[in-house]
Amino acid sequence: MKMTEGVEWTAHACALLAALPPGIGLPANALAEFHALAPAYMAKHMQALARGGVVESVRGAGGGYRLARPATDISLWDIVEAIEGAEPAFRCSEIRQQGPCVTPNGDFRKPCEIHSAFGKAEMAWRAHLKSVSLADIATEVTRKSSPQKRAAVTVWLQEKLA
Amino acid sequence: MKMTEGVEWTAHACALLAALPPGIGLPANALAEFHALAPAYMAKHMQALARGGVVESVRGAGGGYRLARPATDISLWDIVEAIEGAEPAFRCSEIRQQGPCVTPNGDFRKPCEIHSAFGKAEMAWRAHLKSVSLADIATEVTRKSSPQKRAAVTVWLQEKLA
């Protein structure tokens, strides 16, 4: 069970967008270039993020994608939901309702113990991802960057935003 | 991101095995029949469980698969690990080490913030699955079964174990 590359790619792209001045965006091409990723796939993943309401496109100078909300209001879960969808990882096809020992008076209104346990595990996973905002990540990334790294990013951004 | 049907199928199969008298097993065919599942796929999934050390095969009368340990010592995580493997769901390809702004003095020994956050979420998910044993599930399933359901299962088992 694996998430697609799109989660990694867009999480890093959004961390970069979170560090830009308010209202400023970057095109998908530039977001791909920043991590040397395939532009066509990055464009597809950013479109999914836009459909999920995490980013929005801006036209004109300084255009491209920008965060649709303040970075404090966007969590890692929002990114996962936009890329992977909101379906739980556990696949339940209600097999308890099939087979030779199913009785006519069976009560299947509540999920079974197995389904419930996987549901609680899923909620614990999501709760952690919801607790981490893009602002948290951008702050930590910036704090841990060397002065050389920060200078390189500044020069690159000035070129892209010119 | 979805787990395979094998997790649902084998979790229910193991809950049934957990309710059998100690040492007694059931063939994969019978485990498939109990929930009206495709026998060939069930056989494949039970082989994965055996390779993962969750069940073991027993020859002869009362043979088939039985739990390899007491049901109190087998968790839902053990089943997921046997079927899906132990790789985390978040795919990290270290894209932070690529691109025009990577500096020669970059320190990549520790995982980045994004990787760490997904790692903690994964651990929260696994911790919950590890906290639920097959014994917990079998106890609850039995407690909630109607007398008719329990009687149907007893008759079916007597036939299979004869």
Side-chain angles (χ1 to χ4, degrees), chain B residues 39-60:
Chain B
Y41 287 109
M42 188 52 139
K44 196 189 68 157
H45 296 316
M46 293 307 294
Q47 284 158 16
L49 272 198
R51 279 195 303 273
V54 175
V55 296
E56 57 192 12
S57 30
V58 213
R59 290 176 181 274

Side-chain angles (χ1 to χ4, degrees), chain B residues 34 43 63 80 93 106 118 120 129 148 150 154-155:
Chain B
F34 188 76
V80 173
S93 53
F118 277 102
K120 283 180 191 157
L129 294 180
Q148 291 91 327
R150 278 192 292 244
T154 302
V155 169

Side-chain angles (χ1 to χ4, degrees), chain B residues 4 10 20 36 38 42 45 115 123 136:
Chain B
T4 65
T10 57
L20 297 183
M42 188 52 139
H45 296 316
H115 188 147
M123 288 306 120
D136 298 333

